[in-house]
Amino acid sequence: MSASDSPGAVRAARPSRRQFVADLLGASGLVRPFSRLRHALARDLVILAYHRVLDVADEDAFDFDLELVSASRAQFRAQMTLLRERYHPVRFADLAAALAGGPALPPRAVIVSFDDGYDDNHRFAFPILRELGVPAMFFVSTGHVDSGLPYAYDWLVHLLLCTRAARLEIAELGVDLELPASRTARRAIAADVLDRMKAVPASVQSAIVERLGVEWGMPRAQGHPDCRPLSWPQLREMHAGGMEVGSHGMWHNMLARLAPADMQAEVAGSRRAIADALGASCEVISYPVGGVDAYDAAVIAAARDAGFELGCSYVSGTNHLPPREPFALRRLPIERHMDAAWFAALVGMPEAFSYTSRRRIG
Ligand SMILES: [Zn+2]
């Protein structure tokens, strides 16, 4: 799940240059030959990272974190079509098999992955993936699948957007300010708060969200139509339809910010919950939040001990084959402001068109 860029300024400045060059390259017809040459030389693995696939008719009226919307349905269909035509979409299981001495991955291998497990993944992404024959991995936080509760970071954004309170005071983060009326300004404040949260223990993060919910009369409750986790029946259907399901912890806690015993319980418990629910083993974990402050050597050791074979970060980049760090795989975050030319350039020439997302949150 993503804490935010400061929406307006960063988004305006960041895409413009890449978008301009991507448009030029797209118009020139050079993306495809460049990308073929690049992928022939590099022979690496590209893993794309999505969160939500959703049509947001009115961004200003959307009551949750817009930065988690990776693509509209039309964008997603076009992106998957491009992967089908120009690349070889593969599964994490194919990567694990290759690492175990099985067949090597094909050239231009790409894996599609989703973090968090929003129910729009089932409603909107899964039908497109199934129709186009593109496999994908869904990393879910099993406590949320069990409970139906919204994700804490997204609920925090919701609280900040919708509260009638005049002030925001979070002593633990050194935040004390007047809440502006403008939603754009509130989204920027939410981004800043989420960024500050990354420095405090997971228990403090949860306590802040719960306290604000109670103080403002908006306790975190299941059932909001715009913020629902996937259910186990949906995941079983997706799994039976050829999709992979992996761990994103139990409660989307930053694993490196948990006490060691709690961290190990989240890692092992999430794997067990998925295996029990699907009747299949679960080999891959994506560390919640996923930046370099979200996982460390102890988290990786716990993942290995629990029986995982691969681990994904939210650090931007591609992966040498065989991966030098199979428990710190890099991914390319996909964001909703990337148009078709940019997406084609990003996957085709990731060195030039990817960037370290300010959010650093997966
Ligand atoms: Zn996440």
Side-chain angles (χ1 to χ4, degrees):
M1 182 172 315
S2 308
S4 310
D5 297 318
S6 36
V10 174
R11 199 177 319 132
R14 188 181 56 206
S16 57
R17 198 176 49 227
R18 290 188 176 85
Q19 182 68 66
F20 177 71
V21 178
D23 285 344
L24 272 183
L25 277 168
S28 72
L30 287 174
V31 171
R32 198 162 183 174
F34 275 172
S35 95
R36 279 191 167 262
L37 178 63
R38 182 259 173 223
H39 285 277
L41 293 172
R43 293 304 299 264
D44 57 356
L45 172 64
V46 170
I47 307 174
L48 305 182
Y50 289 83
H51 285 92
R52 310 188 68 172
V53 172
L54 193 62
D55 292 343
V56 179
D58 179 354
E59 294 200 346
D60 204 42
F62 189 63
D63 283 343
F64 289 89
D65 190 352
L66 270 175
E67 300 303 312
L68 290 173
V69 180
S70 310
S72 67
R73 281 188 279 180
Q75 279 177 304
F76 186 70
R77 173 180 290 281
Q79 291 169 0
M80 295 305 104
T81 302
L82 180 137
L83 294 189
R84 186 81 267 173
E85 288 172 357
R86 299 191 190 175
Y87 296 88
H88 285 113
V90 298
R91 295 174 166 80
F92 279 98
D94 300 318
L95 172 60
L99 295 180
L105 291 180
R108 301 193 302 285
V110 178
I111 295 179
V112 176
S113 74
F114 287 79
D115 276 3
D116 296 355
Y118 280 87
D119 77 336
D120 48 67
N121 293 176
H122 175 268
R123 282 186 288 153
F124 303 133
F126 174 50
I128 293 169
L129 291 163
R130 188 172 43 186
E131 179 194 327
L132 296 175
V134 175
M137 165 64 86
F138 295 85
F139 292 113
V140 301
S141 300
T142 59
H144 290 277
V145 182
D146 287 334
S147 68
L149 279 178
Y151 308 94
Y153 298 149
D154 208 359
W155 196 254
L156 178 65
V157 175
H158 179 64
L159 290 172
L160 291 171
L161 290 174
C162 297
T163 182
R164 293 166 184 273
R167 281 199 88 71
L168 173 66
E169 291 181 55
I170 309 176
E172 300 94 320
L173 305 181
V175 173
D176 182 2
L177 48 82
E178 210 165 301
L179 279 170
S182 141
R183 281 215 151 187
T184 304
R186 288 192 181 205
R187 288 191 195 279
I189 290 169
D192 179 55
V193 170
L194 287 171
D195 213 35
R196 288 168 188 254
M197 291 245 284
K198 287 187 272 182
V200 301
S203 57
V204 176
Q205 298 181 11
S206 313
I208 290 169
V209 178
E210 300 309 319
R211 187 182 70 230
L212 288 175
V214 171
E215 274 178 17
W216 292 345
M218 303 161 65
R220 194 150 59 111
Q222 57 182 220
H224 196 294
D226 289 335
C227 190
R228 275 197 299 241
L230 288 160
S231 68
W232 289 120
Q234 287 173 327
L235 283 162
R236 276 192 279 271
E237 184 191 343
M238 293 157 79
H239 186 249
M243 303 295 139
E244 297 184 294
V245 178
S247 162
H248 201 44
M250 294 171 72
W251 293 105
H252 203 276
N253 284 312
M254 287 176 73
L255 297 170
R257 294 279 181 270
L258 286 169
D262 295 339
M263 180 272 284
Q264 289 156 9
E266 280 247 352
V267 170
S270 61
R271 182 167 187 268
R272 208 163 36 238
I274 291 167
D276 289 350
L278 302 182
S281 67
C282 169
E283 316 294 2
V284 194
I285 185 169
S286 151
Y287 312 114
V289 180
V292 290
D293 41 9
Y295 66 99
D296 55 20
V299 171
I300 289 174
R304 280 186 202 277
D305 289 348
F308 289 105
E309 293 182 14
L310 298 164
C312 284
S313 74
Y314 202 66
V315 176
S316 180
T318 65
N319 302 282
H320 180 265
L321 285 174
R324 297 184 180 99
E325 298 181 274
F327 278 85
L329 296 171
R330 292 175 172 230
R331 296 185 287 169
L332 299 176
I334 305 301
E335 300 180 353
R336 73 187 189 294
H337 49 74
M338 295 174 173
D339 72 0
W342 190 354
F343 180 84
L346 171 70
V347 184
M349 293 170 277
E351 292 82 359
F353 287 92
S354 67
Y355 55 86
T356 304
S357 177
R358 277 273 312 273
R359 304 164 65 82
R360 296 181 297 118
I361 291 209

